[in-house]
Amino acid sequence: MDLTFTEPETAFRDELRAWLADNHPGEEPAGEDAEAYQWRRDFQRRLAEGGWAAVHWPVEYGGRGATLTQSAIFFEELARAKAPLPANVLGLLLAGPTIMAYGTEEQKDRFLAPIVTAEEIWCQGFSEPEAGSDLASLKTRAVKDGEDWVVTGQKVWTSGAQYSKWCMLVARSDTEAPKHKGLTYFLMDMEQEAVQVRPLRQITGEDEFNELFIEEARIPEQNVLGGVGNGWKVALTTLMNERAGLAFFLQVRLRQVLDEVFAEADGRGLLEDPVIADRLGDLHLKAEVLRLTAYRGLTAIERYGQPGPEGSLTKWMWSETNQQLTQFAADVLGTQALTAGDRWSYELLRARGNTIEGGTTEILKNIVAERVLGLPKAR
Ligand SMILES: Cc1cc2nc3c(=O)[nH]c(=O)nc-3n(C[C@H](O)[C@H](O)[C@H](O)COP(=O)(O)OP(=O)(O)OC[C@H]3O[C@@H](n4cnc5c(N)ncnc54)[C@H](O)[C@@H]3O)c2cc1C
């Protein structure tokens, strides 16, 4: 693992830093969620105009053809500048790369460009009330009717569905086949009467995710991605991209929050308190290990061409450390951190979902146990 940047990498970072300094979107607007979302969407448009929205995509699809290290630099710099993630993050990190891997030329022509400009937002319709960790047991049905597929079922926890034009939808197209083999991956148009989006209010007070009620939605055959019956394979590509993309953004954000809590503790004269000092030291150590493990994951992809188990390890470590950090912040700040609407109460409450979203900690531990340590399978 070599942690020094090459000359082109340093040039890339400096160019991006200068661009972000000139084009920073400013503070997130307070108030309605929809307003904040529009602010992120406008910021993505600006990123796209500057050629920065999809740095890791090939140039032919509107990207910058960045290397993995440059892509990591992009997310690090975004976090360092305290700029938001682009609004269409699921389109850029999940839908786009999956369409590039499995899409026909027509699908690439139709779907990729509006992802980059945030003209068409994407959501991920995988989880169902009885299928989360065990995704392959999902029940949403797809039945062929002429040139269309007719889809009926329910999805849940669908982040950003209320803003989305398209959904990455996995449904059961063959009830006779073994459960992993009867699935198909569809690109579903959300703008139809048959798709109802109902927001779910989270502990933070935001409606970040939704329930989707799908009652005979129609999806044309040309919106099947990767072939009928191949849904499991295509979905795994989406899930692999989910863990690989954000590690650098998240580890820099964690470091920033830790620095802020350090300053708060210092301002309150708490650094001499051995218990506080001990917890700060522990969090500092974990933030540093996280940074180095994110780079180790990058080295593995560069060397072997695919993400190693580090993706599961960093997600597990980051989510637990972020929960410890936000709890620690509440201990340092006292009752202020428990006031509704306070930034620190938001951080504390939002962190609860970290160990669930994008794969629960228990599932990640199973992956590390089986694939890294070679322990016997849990089931
Ligand atoms: C903020 C947030 C955003 C999300 N956004 C989306 C989205 O946009 N699209 C989408 O499709 N989904 C989304 N999800 C859903 C997320 O992927 C699921 O919640 C997650 O996969 C877990 O599934 P589940 O909730 O059904 O829990 P379950 O799978 O029912 O798990 C319940 C509990 O059992 C444990 N468990 C389950 N299986 C095992 C096992 N084999 N070994 C050990 N323990 C096990 C789990 O760890 C968990 O503690 C989001 C979730 C959150 C919190």
Side-chain angles (χ1 to χ4, degrees), residues 253-262 279-280 283-284 287 318-333 344 347-348 351:
R253 272 267 301 144
L254 187 113
R255 160 60 57 192
Q256 285 169 341
V257 175
L258 178 55
D259 288 347
E260 286 176 52
V261 180
F262 184 91
R279 287 176 77 185
L280 272 170
L283 287 164
H284 168 77
W318 165 78
S319 54
E320 293 204 341
T321 309
N322 201 39
Q323 288 180 350
Q324 287 160 12
L325 173 58
T326 52
Q327 180 58 58
F328 176 61
D331 294 343
V332 167
L333 286 139
W344 291 103
E347 298 277 1
L348 178 68

PDB file of all heavy atoms in Angstrom, residues 253-262 279-280 283-284 287 318-333 344 347-348 351:
ATOM      1  N   ARG A 253     -15.788  12.461   6.824  1.00  0.00           N
ATOM      2  CA  ARG A 253     -16.867  13.074   7.620  1.00  0.00           C
ATOM      3  C   ARG A 253     -16.722  12.700   9.094  1.00  0.00           C
ATOM      4  O   ARG A 253     -16.883  13.522   9.985  1.00  0.00           O
ATOM      5  CB  ARG A 253     -18.241  12.578   7.126  1.00  0.00           C
ATOM      6  CG  ARG A 253     -18.833  13.378   6.024  1.00  0.00           C
ATOM      7  CD  ARG A 253     -19.775  14.479   6.521  1.00  0.00           C
ATOM      8  NE  ARG A 253     -20.889  13.970   7.295  1.00  0.00           N
ATOM      9  CZ  ARG A 253     -21.423  14.582   8.334  1.00  0.00           C
ATOM     10  NH1 ARG A 253     -20.969  15.746   8.728  1.00  0.00           N
ATOM     11  NH2 ARG A 253     -22.429  14.054   8.995  1.00  0.00           N
ATOM     12  N   LEU A 254     -16.393  11.422   9.337  1.00  0.00           N
ATOM     13  CA  LEU A 254     -16.235  10.962  10.716  1.00  0.00           C
ATOM     14  C   LEU A 254     -15.103  11.722  11.406  1.00  0.00           C
ATOM     15  O   LEU A 254     -15.236  12.191  12.539  1.00  0.00           O
ATOM     16  CB  LEU A 254     -15.933   9.458  10.723  1.00  0.00           C
ATOM     17  CG  LEU A 254     -15.907   8.822  12.089  1.00  0.00           C
ATOM     18  CD1 LEU A 254     -17.072   7.854  12.235  1.00  0.00           C
ATOM     19  CD2 LEU A 254     -14.631   8.071  12.340  1.00  0.00           C
ATOM     20  N   ARG A 255     -13.997  11.895  10.693  1.00  0.00           N
ATOM     21  CA  ARG A 255     -12.851  12.632  11.246  1.00  0.00           C
ATOM     22  C   ARG A 255     -13.242  14.083  11.571  1.00  0.00           C
ATOM     23  O   ARG A 255     -12.893  14.623  12.614  1.00  0.00           O
ATOM     24  CB  ARG A 255     -11.694  12.546  10.232  1.00  0.00           C
ATOM     25  CG  ARG A 255     -10.618  13.576  10.345  1.00  0.00           C
ATOM     26  CD  ARG A 255      -9.896  13.571  11.666  1.00  0.00           C
ATOM     27  NE  ARG A 255      -9.285  12.289  11.993  1.00  0.00           N
ATOM     28  CZ  ARG A 255      -8.792  11.972  13.196  1.00  0.00           C
ATOM     29  NH1 ARG A 255      -8.832  12.842  14.178  1.00  0.00           N
ATOM     30  NH2 ARG A 255      -8.256  10.789  13.416  1.00  0.00           N
ATOM     31  N   GLN A 256     -14.026  14.705  10.673  1.00  0.00           N
ATOM     32  CA  GLN A 256     -14.443  16.098  10.907  1.00  0.00           C
ATOM     33  C   GLN A 256     -15.316  16.206  12.155  1.00  0.00           C
ATOM     34  O   GLN A 256     -15.145  17.111  12.969  1.00  0.00           O
ATOM     35  CB  GLN A 256     -15.233  16.622   9.705  1.00  0.00           C
ATOM     36  CG  GLN A 256     -14.344  16.947   8.527  1.00  0.00           C
ATOM     37  CD  GLN A 256     -15.169  17.204   7.277  1.00  0.00           C
ATOM     38  OE1 GLN A 256     -16.323  16.819   7.189  1.00  0.00           O
ATOM     39  NE2 GLN A 256     -14.557  17.865   6.321  1.00  0.00           N
ATOM     40  N   VAL A 257     -16.263  15.271  12.272  1.00  0.00           N
ATOM     41  CA  VAL A 257     -17.157  15.317  13.444  1.00  0.00           C
ATOM     42  C   VAL A 257     -16.335  15.096  14.712  1.00  0.00           C
ATOM     43  O   VAL A 257     -16.519  15.792  15.716  1.00  0.00           O
ATOM     44  CB  VAL A 257     -18.301  14.272  13.307  1.00  0.00           C
ATOM     45  CG1 VAL A 257     -19.150  14.232  14.572  1.00  0.00           C
ATOM     46  CG2 VAL A 257     -19.181  14.599  12.106  1.00  0.00           C
ATOM     47  N   LEU A 258     -15.374  14.177  14.651  1.00  0.00           N
ATOM     48  CA  LEU A 258     -14.511  13.928  15.811  1.00  0.00           C
ATOM     49  C   LEU A 258     -13.737  15.200  16.180  1.00  0.00           C
ATOM     50  O   LEU A 258     -13.651  15.558  17.368  1.00  0.00           O
ATOM     51  CB  LEU A 258     -13.549  12.769  15.497  1.00  0.00           C
ATOM     52  CG  LEU A 258     -12.535  12.399  16.581  1.00  0.00           C
ATOM     53  CD1 LEU A 258     -13.207  12.084  17.911  1.00  0.00           C
ATOM     54  CD2 LEU A 258     -11.701  11.191  16.143  1.00  0.00           C
ATOM     55  N   ASP A 259     -13.201  15.901  15.175  1.00  0.00           N
ATOM     56  CA  ASP A 259     -12.468  17.147  15.457  1.00  0.00           C
ATOM     57  C   ASP A 259     -13.389  18.186  16.118  1.00  0.00           C
ATOM     58  O   ASP A 259     -12.976  18.911  17.022  1.00  0.00           O
ATOM     59  CB  ASP A 259     -11.882  17.730  14.155  1.00  0.00           C
ATOM     60  CG  ASP A 259     -10.709  16.900  13.647  1.00  0.00           C
ATOM     61  OD1 ASP A 259     -10.213  16.052  14.424  1.00  0.00           O
ATOM     62  OD2 ASP A 259     -10.312  17.072  12.478  1.00  0.00           O
ATOM     63  N   GLU A 260     -14.637  18.235  15.649  1.00  0.00           N
ATOM     64  CA  GLU A 260     -15.589  19.192  16.246  1.00  0.00           C
ATOM     65  C   GLU A 260     -15.878  18.836  17.703  1.00  0.00           C
ATOM     66  O   GLU A 260     -15.958  19.717  18.562  1.00  0.00           O
ATOM     67  CB  GLU A 260     -16.906  19.203  15.460  1.00  0.00           C
ATOM     68  CG  GLU A 260     -16.807  19.907  14.117  1.00  0.00           C
ATOM     69  CD  GLU A 260     -18.116  19.793  13.348  1.00  0.00           C
ATOM     70  OE1 GLU A 260     -19.173  20.117  13.915  1.00  0.00           O
ATOM     71  OE2 GLU A 260     -18.080  19.354  12.189  1.00  0.00           O
ATOM     72  N   VAL A 261     -16.044  17.531  17.969  1.00  0.00           N
ATOM     73  CA  VAL A 261     -16.334  17.110  19.354  1.00  0.00           C
ATOM     74  C   VAL A 261     -15.119  17.393  20.240  1.00  0.00           C
ATOM     75  O   VAL A 261     -15.254  17.834  21.383  1.00  0.00           O
ATOM     76  CB  VAL A 261     -16.713  15.606  19.411  1.00  0.00           C
ATOM     77  CG1 VAL A 261     -17.001  15.187  20.846  1.00  0.00           C
ATOM     78  CG2 VAL A 261     -17.926  15.322  18.548  1.00  0.00           C
ATOM     79  N   PHE A 262     -13.926  17.178  19.675  1.00  0.00           N
ATOM     80  CA  PHE A 262     -12.686  17.490  20.405  1.00  0.00           C
ATOM     81  C   PHE A 262     -12.693  18.967  20.818  1.00  0.00           C
ATOM     82  O   PHE A 262     -12.429  19.306  21.975  1.00  0.00           O
ATOM     83  CB  PHE A 262     -11.482  17.177  19.506  1.00  0.00           C
ATOM     84  CG  PHE A 262     -10.161  17.371  20.185  1.00  0.00           C
ATOM     85  CD1 PHE A 262      -9.539  16.314  20.851  1.00  0.00           C
ATOM     86  CD2 PHE A 262      -9.525  18.601  20.180  1.00  0.00           C
ATOM     87  CE1 PHE A 262      -8.316  16.485  21.491  1.00  0.00           C
ATOM     88  CE2 PHE A 262      -8.307  18.787  20.822  1.00  0.00           C
ATOM     89  CZ  PHE A 262      -7.704  17.730  21.471  1.00  0.00           C
ATOM     90  N   ARG A 279     -11.689   8.181  25.898  1.00  0.00           N
ATOM     91  CA  ARG A 279     -12.657   7.936  24.820  1.00  0.00           C
ATOM     92  C   ARG A 279     -12.235   8.656  23.535  1.00  0.00           C
ATOM     93  O   ARG A 279     -12.398   8.130  22.432  1.00  0.00           O
ATOM     94  CB  ARG A 279     -14.069   8.369  25.261  1.00  0.00           C
ATOM     95  CG  ARG A 279     -14.647   7.390  26.269  1.00  0.00           C
ATOM     96  CD  ARG A 279     -15.984   7.836  26.796  1.00  0.00           C
ATOM     97  NE  ARG A 279     -17.074   7.616  25.861  1.00  0.00           N
ATOM     98  CZ  ARG A 279     -18.326   8.030  26.086  1.00  0.00           C
ATOM     99  NH1 ARG A 279     -18.617   8.684  27.194  1.00  0.00           N
ATOM    100  NH2 ARG A 279     -19.269   7.794  25.203  1.00  0.00           N
ATOM    101  N   LEU A 280     -11.680   9.875  23.706  1.00  0.00           N
ATOM    102  CA  LEU A 280     -11.190  10.598  22.530  1.00  0.00           C
ATOM    103  C   LEU A 280     -10.054   9.836  21.850  1.00  0.00           C
ATOM    104  O   LEU A 280     -10.014   9.716  20.619  1.00  0.00           O
ATOM    105  CB  LEU A 280     -10.700  11.998  22.933  1.00  0.00           C
ATOM    106  CG  LEU A 280     -11.754  13.101  22.950  1.00  0.00           C
ATOM    107  CD1 LEU A 280     -11.188  14.357  23.596  1.00  0.00           C
ATOM    108  CD2 LEU A 280     -12.253  13.413  21.538  1.00  0.00           C
ATOM    109  N   LEU A 283     -11.452   6.895  19.933  1.00  0.00           N
ATOM    110  CA  LEU A 283     -12.128   7.288  18.681  1.00  0.00           C
ATOM    111  C   LEU A 283     -11.116   7.746  17.630  1.00  0.00           C
ATOM    112  O   LEU A 283     -11.268   7.469  16.435  1.00  0.00           O
ATOM    113  CB  LEU A 283     -13.163   8.384  18.962  1.00  0.00           C
ATOM    114  CG  LEU A 283     -14.417   7.881  19.681  1.00  0.00           C
ATOM    115  CD1 LEU A 283     -15.204   9.036  20.284  1.00  0.00           C
ATOM    116  CD2 LEU A 283     -15.302   7.075  18.725  1.00  0.00           C
ATOM    117  N   HIS A 284     -10.062   8.428  18.098  1.00  0.00           N
ATOM    118  CA  HIS A 284      -9.012   8.860  17.172  1.00  0.00           C
ATOM    119  C   HIS A 284      -8.364   7.643  16.506  1.00  0.00           C
ATOM    120  O   HIS A 284      -8.182   7.583  15.283  1.00  0.00           O
ATOM    121  CB  HIS A 284      -7.966   9.686  17.922  1.00  0.00           C
ATOM    122  CG  HIS A 284      -6.727   9.920  17.122  1.00  0.00           C
ATOM    123  ND1 HIS A 284      -6.680  10.847  16.104  1.00  0.00           N
ATOM    124  CD2 HIS A 284      -5.511   9.322  17.150  1.00  0.00           C
ATOM    125  CE1 HIS A 284      -5.482  10.810  15.546  1.00  0.00           C
ATOM    126  NE2 HIS A 284      -4.757   9.900  16.166  1.00  0.00           N
ATOM    127  N   ALA A 287     -10.736   6.112  13.958  1.00  0.00           N
ATOM    128  CA  ALA A 287     -10.859   6.929  12.737  1.00  0.00           C
ATOM    129  C   ALA A 287      -9.647   6.705  11.840  1.00  0.00           C
ATOM    130  O   ALA A 287      -9.754   6.616  10.617  1.00  0.00           O
ATOM    131  CB  ALA A 287     -10.992   8.412  13.100  1.00  0.00           C
ATOM    132  N   TRP A 318     -17.060   1.579  10.372  1.00  0.00           N
ATOM    133  CA  TRP A 318     -17.529   2.964  10.295  1.00  0.00           C
ATOM    134  C   TRP A 318     -18.846   3.125  11.053  1.00  0.00           C
ATOM    135  O   TRP A 318     -19.004   4.055  11.848  1.00  0.00           O
ATOM    136  CB  TRP A 318     -17.715   3.394   8.821  1.00  0.00           C
ATOM    137  CG  TRP A 318     -18.517   4.656   8.735  1.00  0.00           C
ATOM    138  CD1 TRP A 318     -18.049   5.923   8.976  1.00  0.00           C
ATOM    139  CD2 TRP A 318     -19.910   4.777   8.467  1.00  0.00           C
ATOM    140  NE1 TRP A 318     -19.082   6.821   8.868  1.00  0.00           N
ATOM    141  CE2 TRP A 318     -20.227   6.143   8.556  1.00  0.00           C
ATOM    142  CE3 TRP A 318     -20.922   3.857   8.160  1.00  0.00           C
ATOM    143  CZ2 TRP A 318     -21.526   6.621   8.344  1.00  0.00           C
ATOM    144  CZ3 TRP A 318     -22.205   4.324   7.949  1.00  0.00           C
ATOM    145  CH2 TRP A 318     -22.500   5.689   8.043  1.00  0.00           C
ATOM    146  N   SER A 319     -19.807   2.190  10.836  1.00  0.00           N
ATOM    147  CA  SER A 319     -21.132   2.388  11.434  1.00  0.00           C
ATOM    148  C   SER A 319     -21.060   2.310  12.959  1.00  0.00           C
ATOM    149  O   SER A 319     -21.679   3.112  13.654  1.00  0.00           O
ATOM    150  CB  SER A 319     -22.141   1.382  10.866  1.00  0.00           C
ATOM    151  OG  SER A 319     -21.658   0.070  11.010  1.00  0.00           O
ATOM    152  N   GLU A 320     -20.259   1.374  13.478  1.00  0.00           N
ATOM    153  CA  GLU A 320     -20.169   1.264  14.941  1.00  0.00           C
ATOM    154  C   GLU A 320     -19.417   2.461  15.524  1.00  0.00           C
ATOM    155  O   GLU A 320     -19.797   2.996  16.559  1.00  0.00           O
ATOM    156  CB  GLU A 320     -19.519  -0.065  15.335  1.00  0.00           C
ATOM    157  CG  GLU A 320     -20.434  -1.229  14.962  1.00  0.00           C
ATOM    158  CD  GLU A 320     -20.221  -2.496  15.767  1.00  0.00           C
ATOM    159  OE1 GLU A 320     -19.152  -2.649  16.377  1.00  0.00           O
ATOM    160  OE2 GLU A 320     -21.150  -3.332  15.777  1.00  0.00           O
ATOM    161  N   THR A 321     -18.347   2.896  14.841  1.00  0.00           N
ATOM    162  CA  THR A 321     -17.579   4.043  15.344  1.00  0.00           C
ATOM    163  C   THR A 321     -18.433   5.307  15.297  1.00  0.00           C
ATOM    164  O   THR A 321     -18.399   6.128  16.216  1.00  0.00           O
ATOM    165  CB  THR A 321     -16.285   4.227  14.518  1.00  0.00           C
ATOM    166  OG1 THR A 321     -15.596   2.980  14.463  1.00  0.00           O
ATOM    167  CG2 THR A 321     -15.372   5.282  15.127  1.00  0.00           C
ATOM    168  N   ASN A 322     -19.210   5.472  14.242  1.00  0.00           N
ATOM    169  CA  ASN A 322     -20.060   6.670  14.144  1.00  0.00           C
ATOM    170  C   ASN A 322     -21.107   6.691  15.252  1.00  0.00           C
ATOM    171  O   ASN A 322     -21.412   7.748  15.810  1.00  0.00           O
ATOM    172  CB  ASN A 322     -20.719   6.730  12.765  1.00  0.00           C
ATOM    173  CG  ASN A 322     -21.156   8.134  12.427  1.00  0.00           C
ATOM    174  OD1 ASN A 322     -20.460   9.100  12.734  1.00  0.00           O
ATOM    175  ND2 ASN A 322     -22.332   8.272  11.836  1.00  0.00           N
ATOM    176  N   GLN A 323     -21.643   5.527  15.607  1.00  0.00           N
ATOM    177  CA  GLN A 323     -22.606   5.478  16.721  1.00  0.00           C
ATOM    178  C   GLN A 323     -21.913   5.832  18.041  1.00  0.00           C
ATOM    179  O   GLN A 323     -22.442   6.594  18.851  1.00  0.00           O
ATOM    180  CB  GLN A 323     -23.264   4.098  16.801  1.00  0.00           C
ATOM    181  CG  GLN A 323     -24.262   3.876  15.664  1.00  0.00           C
ATOM    182  CD  GLN A 323     -24.942   2.524  15.702  1.00  0.00           C
ATOM    183  OE1 GLN A 323     -24.561   1.644  16.467  1.00  0.00           O
ATOM    184  NE2 GLN A 323     -25.948   2.355  14.859  1.00  0.00           N
ATOM    185  N   GLN A 324     -20.694   5.287  18.238  1.00  0.00           N
ATOM    186  CA  GLN A 324     -19.966   5.609  19.485  1.00  0.00           C
ATOM    187  C   GLN A 324     -19.643   7.105  19.540  1.00  0.00           C
ATOM    188  O   GLN A 324     -19.766   7.748  20.579  1.00  0.00           O
ATOM    189  CB  GLN A 324     -18.659   4.810  19.556  1.00  0.00           C
ATOM    190  CG  GLN A 324     -18.863   3.337  19.852  1.00  0.00           C
ATOM    191  CD  GLN A 324     -17.648   2.489  19.455  1.00  0.00           C
ATOM    192  OE1 GLN A 324     -16.579   3.003  19.159  1.00  0.00           O
ATOM    193  NE2 GLN A 324     -17.843   1.180  19.444  1.00  0.00           N
ATOM    194  N   LEU A 325     -19.240   7.654  18.389  1.00  0.00           N
ATOM    195  CA  LEU A 325     -18.853   9.062  18.336  1.00  0.00           C
ATOM    196  C   LEU A 325     -20.042   9.984  18.624  1.00  0.00           C
ATOM    197  O   LEU A 325     -19.922  10.937  19.411  1.00  0.00           O
ATOM    198  CB  LEU A 325     -18.267   9.367  16.944  1.00  0.00           C
ATOM    199  CG  LEU A 325     -17.960  10.823  16.627  1.00  0.00           C
ATOM    200  CD1 LEU A 325     -16.971  11.413  17.625  1.00  0.00           C
ATOM    201  CD2 LEU A 325     -17.387  10.947  15.206  1.00  0.00           C
ATOM    202  N   THR A 326     -21.189   9.702  18.036  1.00  0.00           N
ATOM    203  CA  THR A 326     -22.339  10.586  18.247  1.00  0.00           C
ATOM    204  C   THR A 326     -22.873  10.450  19.680  1.00  0.00           C
ATOM    205  O   THR A 326     -23.355  11.423  20.254  1.00  0.00           O
ATOM    206  CB  THR A 326     -23.450  10.320  17.204  1.00  0.00           C
ATOM    207  OG1 THR A 326     -23.754   8.917  17.193  1.00  0.00           O
ATOM    208  CG2 THR A 326     -23.020  10.741  15.809  1.00  0.00           C
ATOM    209  N   GLN A 327     -22.731   9.252  20.249  1.00  0.00           N
ATOM    210  CA  GLN A 327     -23.110   9.073  21.664  1.00  0.00           C
ATOM    211  C   GLN A 327     -22.145   9.848  22.558  1.00  0.00           C
ATOM    212  O   GLN A 327     -22.556  10.521  23.510  1.00  0.00           O
ATOM    213  CB  GLN A 327     -23.089   7.578  22.022  1.00  0.00           C
ATOM    214  CG  GLN A 327     -23.477   7.278  23.464  1.00  0.00           C
ATOM    215  CD  GLN A 327     -24.870   7.798  23.809  1.00  0.00           C
ATOM    216  OE1 GLN A 327     -25.851   7.435  23.166  1.00  0.00           O
ATOM    217  NE2 GLN A 327     -24.954   8.680  24.815  1.00  0.00           N
ATOM    218  N   PHE A 328     -20.860   9.796  22.210  1.00  0.00           N
ATOM    219  CA  PHE A 328     -19.837  10.528  22.971  1.00  0.00           C
ATOM    220  C   PHE A 328     -20.115  12.036  22.897  1.00  0.00           C
ATOM    221  O   PHE A 328     -20.024  12.749  23.897  1.00  0.00           O
ATOM    222  CB  PHE A 328     -18.455  10.179  22.407  1.00  0.00           C
ATOM    223  CG  PHE A 328     -17.335  10.933  23.045  1.00  0.00           C
ATOM    224  CD1 PHE A 328     -17.076  10.822  24.404  1.00  0.00           C
ATOM    225  CD2 PHE A 328     -16.523  11.768  22.283  1.00  0.00           C
ATOM    226  CE1 PHE A 328     -16.031  11.527  24.994  1.00  0.00           C
ATOM    227  CE2 PHE A 328     -15.478  12.473  22.870  1.00  0.00           C
ATOM    228  CZ  PHE A 328     -15.233  12.354  24.227  1.00  0.00           C
ATOM    229  N   ALA A 329     -20.481  12.514  21.678  1.00  0.00           N
ATOM    230  CA  ALA A 329     -20.795  13.944  21.512  1.00  0.00           C
ATOM    231  C   ALA A 329     -21.933  14.329  22.450  1.00  0.00           C
ATOM    232  O   ALA A 329     -21.894  15.390  23.099  1.00  0.00           O
ATOM    233  CB  ALA A 329     -21.175  14.229  20.061  1.00  0.00           C
ATOM    234  N   ALA A 330     -22.947  13.462  22.550  1.00  0.00           N
ATOM    235  CA  ALA A 330     -24.079  13.753  23.437  1.00  0.00           C
ATOM    236  C   ALA A 330     -23.617  13.808  24.894  1.00  0.00           C
ATOM    237  O   ALA A 330     -24.074  14.657  25.662  1.00  0.00           O
ATOM    238  CB  ALA A 330     -25.161  12.691  23.252  1.00  0.00           C
ATOM    239  N   ASP A 331     -22.676  12.939  25.259  1.00  0.00           N
ATOM    240  CA  ASP A 331     -22.165  12.950  26.640  1.00  0.00           C
ATOM    241  C   ASP A 331     -21.396  14.244  26.928  1.00  0.00           C
ATOM    242  O   ASP A 331     -21.491  14.811  28.006  1.00  0.00           O
ATOM    243  CB  ASP A 331     -21.262  11.734  26.892  1.00  0.00           C
ATOM    244  CG  ASP A 331     -22.036  10.431  26.826  1.00  0.00           C
ATOM    245  OD1 ASP A 331     -23.283  10.481  26.904  1.00  0.00           O
ATOM    246  OD2 ASP A 331     -21.414   9.360  26.682  1.00  0.00           O
ATOM    247  N   VAL A 332     -20.629  14.710  25.925  1.00  0.00           N
ATOM    248  CA  VAL A 332     -19.844  15.938  26.107  1.00  0.00           C
ATOM    249  C   VAL A 332     -20.763  17.156  26.148  1.00  0.00           C
ATOM    250  O   VAL A 332     -20.615  18.049  26.979  1.00  0.00           O
ATOM    251  CB  VAL A 332     -18.799  16.084  24.966  1.00  0.00           C
ATOM    252  CG1 VAL A 332     -18.193  17.480  24.946  1.00  0.00           C
ATOM    253  CG2 VAL A 332     -17.705  15.027  25.103  1.00  0.00           C
ATOM    254  N   LEU A 333     -21.740  17.201  25.256  1.00  0.00           N
ATOM    255  CA  LEU A 333     -22.592  18.389  25.129  1.00  0.00           C
ATOM    256  C   LEU A 333     -23.745  18.423  26.124  1.00  0.00           C
ATOM    257  O   LEU A 333     -24.362  19.466  26.320  1.00  0.00           O
ATOM    258  CB  LEU A 333     -23.155  18.463  23.705  1.00  0.00           C
ATOM    259  CG  LEU A 333     -22.096  18.905  22.692  1.00  0.00           C
ATOM    260  CD1 LEU A 333     -22.211  18.104  21.418  1.00  0.00           C
ATOM    261  CD2 LEU A 333     -22.237  20.369  22.404  1.00  0.00           C
ATOM    262  N   TRP A 344     -26.704  18.142  16.823  1.00  0.00           N
ATOM    263  CA  TRP A 344     -26.104  16.969  17.457  1.00  0.00           C
ATOM    264  C   TRP A 344     -27.138  15.901  17.764  1.00  0.00           C
ATOM    265  O   TRP A 344     -26.832  14.708  17.765  1.00  0.00           O
ATOM    266  CB  TRP A 344     -25.333  17.383  18.713  1.00  0.00           C
ATOM    267  CG  TRP A 344     -24.121  18.154  18.341  1.00  0.00           C
ATOM    268  CD1 TRP A 344     -23.952  19.504  18.413  1.00  0.00           C
ATOM    269  CD2 TRP A 344     -22.917  17.628  17.758  1.00  0.00           C
ATOM    270  NE1 TRP A 344     -22.727  19.860  17.924  1.00  0.00           N
ATOM    271  CE2 TRP A 344     -22.055  18.730  17.521  1.00  0.00           C
ATOM    272  CE3 TRP A 344     -22.475  16.355  17.415  1.00  0.00           C
ATOM    273  CZ2 TRP A 344     -20.795  18.584  16.959  1.00  0.00           C
ATOM    274  CZ3 TRP A 344     -21.215  16.203  16.869  1.00  0.00           C
ATOM    275  CH2 TRP A 344     -20.390  17.318  16.641  1.00  0.00           C
ATOM    276  N   GLU A 347     -27.466  14.081  14.527  1.00  0.00           N
ATOM    277  CA  GLU A 347     -26.347  13.145  14.291  1.00  0.00           C
ATOM    278  C   GLU A 347     -26.538  11.859  15.113  1.00  0.00           C
ATOM    279  O   GLU A 347     -26.331  10.758  14.620  1.00  0.00           O
ATOM    280  CB  GLU A 347     -25.006  13.786  14.682  1.00  0.00           C
ATOM    281  CG  GLU A 347     -24.627  15.023  13.880  1.00  0.00           C
ATOM    282  CD  GLU A 347     -23.969  14.710  12.537  1.00  0.00           C
ATOM    283  OE1 GLU A 347     -23.815  13.520  12.213  1.00  0.00           O
ATOM    284  OE2 GLU A 347     -23.635  15.668  11.810  1.00  0.00           O
ATOM    285  N   LEU A 348     -26.941  12.054  16.387  1.00  0.00           N
ATOM    286  CA  LEU A 348     -27.109  10.911  17.292  1.00  0.00           C
ATOM    287  C   LEU A 348     -28.206   9.971  16.783  1.00  0.00           C
ATOM    288  O   LEU A 348     -28.031   8.750  16.723  1.00  0.00           O
ATOM    289  CB  LEU A 348     -27.469  11.425  18.693  1.00  0.00           C
ATOM    290  CG  LEU A 348     -27.728  10.381  19.773  1.00  0.00           C
ATOM    291  CD1 LEU A 348     -26.452   9.642  20.142  1.00  0.00           C
ATOM    292  CD2 LEU A 348     -28.310  11.035  21.037  1.00  0.00           C
ATOM    293  N   ALA A 351     -27.503   8.224  13.261  1.00  0.00           N
ATOM    294  CA  ALA A 351     -26.486   7.160  13.323  1.00  0.00           C
ATOM    295  C   ALA A 351     -27.097   5.794  13.660  1.00  0.00           C
ATOM    296  O   ALA A 351     -26.502   4.755  13.372  1.00  0.00           O
ATOM    297  CB  ALA A 351     -25.409   7.516  14.346  1.00  0.00           C
TER     298      ALA A 351
END
